[in-house]
């Protein structure tokens, strides 16, 4: 039986910090707007580095975004206008919990195009839930690399810098840099620190 609504699409844009995930998300959303599709974008309120009402790339490109505390709030904001929305962009999706997976599947069955950008690994080099799970169910995955700040090779890792005791995890240039596999030192600076777990940050 043919579904009442044609299925949508889940696209995951992933890679380390500085790999161009936000740029690529912004590019896809701008193209959707040129195609006269109605677009809405979200980001978690943990990521307030540059803008409170927009997503931003390290190259200073921006796109308006709703800042939400968690997936439940995202769902409420989205479903208040679901009939008017065709394309849903989510940046820094690694800071949402695993319920983003079921929400994305629900949206794709409603015929929506879901664009998800987020880190695939933590600064320790481990898979960063829920991005790997979203990659598994996606129609398309684009895994980007950055440029290794040690040697210029393609970088798949996010290196945390400095030995600050502050529990700051969201940061940009100066606090993190892109590294290739050969130059990635997951515990070089942070071994002695009591860093918050990903679960604690999401909670
Ligand atoms: P992400 O969202 O993946 O963190 P952004 O889209 O915000 O990445 O930023 C990508 C931009 O960051 C690049 O176009 C470039 O201008 C800049 N940049 C700074 N450091 C690097 C690096 N080490 N490798 C690649 N791009 C870098
Ligand atoms: Mg980004």
């Amino acid at each position: 039986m043919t579904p009442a609504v044609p299925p949508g699409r889940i696209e995951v844009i992933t890679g380390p910090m500085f790999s161009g995930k936000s740029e690529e998300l912004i590019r896809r959303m701008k193209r959707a707007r040129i195609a006269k599709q109605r677009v809405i974008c979200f980001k978690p309120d943990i990521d307030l580095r540059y803008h409170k009402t927009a997503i931003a790339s390290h190259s200073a490109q921006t796109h308006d975004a709703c800042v939400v505390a968690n997936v439940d709030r995202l769902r409420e904001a989205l479903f208040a206008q679901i009939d008017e929305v065709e394309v849903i962009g989510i940046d820094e999706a690694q800071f949402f919990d695993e319920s983003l997976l079921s929400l994305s599947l629900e949206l794709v069955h409603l015929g929506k195009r879901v664009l998800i950008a987020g880190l695939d690994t933590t600064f320790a080099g481990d898979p960063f839930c829920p991005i790997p799970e979203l990659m598994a169910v996606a129609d398309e995955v684009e895994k980007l690399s950055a440029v290794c700040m040690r040697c210029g090779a393609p970088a798949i890792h996010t290196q945390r810098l400095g030995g600050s005791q502050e529990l700051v995890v969201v940061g940009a240039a100066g606090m993190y840099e892109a590294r290739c596999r050969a130059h990635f030192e997951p515990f070089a600076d942070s071994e002695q620190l009591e860093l918050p777990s990903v679960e604690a940050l999401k909670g």
Side-chain angles (χ1 to χ4, degrees), residues 16-23 25 47 49-50 55-58 91-92 94 117-119:
M17 277 182 73
F18 308 104
S19 62
K21 301 182 299 297
S22 297
E23 277 179 357
L25 177 63
D47 179 38
R49 277 175 292 184
Y50 305 109
I55 63 168
S57 73
H58 294 109
D91 201 13
E92 301 292 350
Q94 75 279 355
L119 293 169

Side-chain angles (χ1 to χ4, degrees), residues 5-11 88 101-114 137-139:
V5 184
R9 204 175 149 73
I10 298 174
E11 298 167 35
I88 298 135
L101 182 68
S102 48
L103 177 62
S104 300
L105 290 170
E106 193 180 332
L107 293 171
V108 87
H109 291 301
L110 291 172
K112 309 299 179 187
R113 180 174 173 214
V114 188
V137 301
D139 296 81

Side-chain angles (χ1 to χ4, degrees), residues 72-156:
D72 286 344
R73 296 288 93 75
L74 192 162
R75 172 189 284 277
E76 279 169 21
L78 179 57
F79 276 82
Q81 50 186 310
I82 192 72
D83 293 337
E84 284 87 61
V85 172
E86 291 158 288
V87 180
I88 298 135
I90 304 172
D91 201 13
E92 301 292 350
Q94 75 279 355
F95 289 129
F96 290 114
D97 70 17
E98 63 280 357
S99 60
L100 189 59
L101 182 68
S102 48
L103 177 62
S104 300
L105 290 170
E106 193 180 332
L107 293 171
V108 87
H109 291 301
L110 291 172
K112 309 299 179 187
R113 180 174 173 214
V114 188
L115 304 176
I116 295 169
L119 293 169
D120 50 356
T121 55
T122 67
F123 63 85
D126 299 322
F128 208 154
C129 168
I131 302 299
E133 287 79 358
L134 286 157
M135 289 165 75
V137 301
D139 296 81
E140 179 192 326
V141 176
E142 179 147 18
K143 178 153 171 158
L144 300 168
S145 60
V147 176
C148 176
M149 295 308 282
R150 285 285 174 87
C151 70
I156 62 160

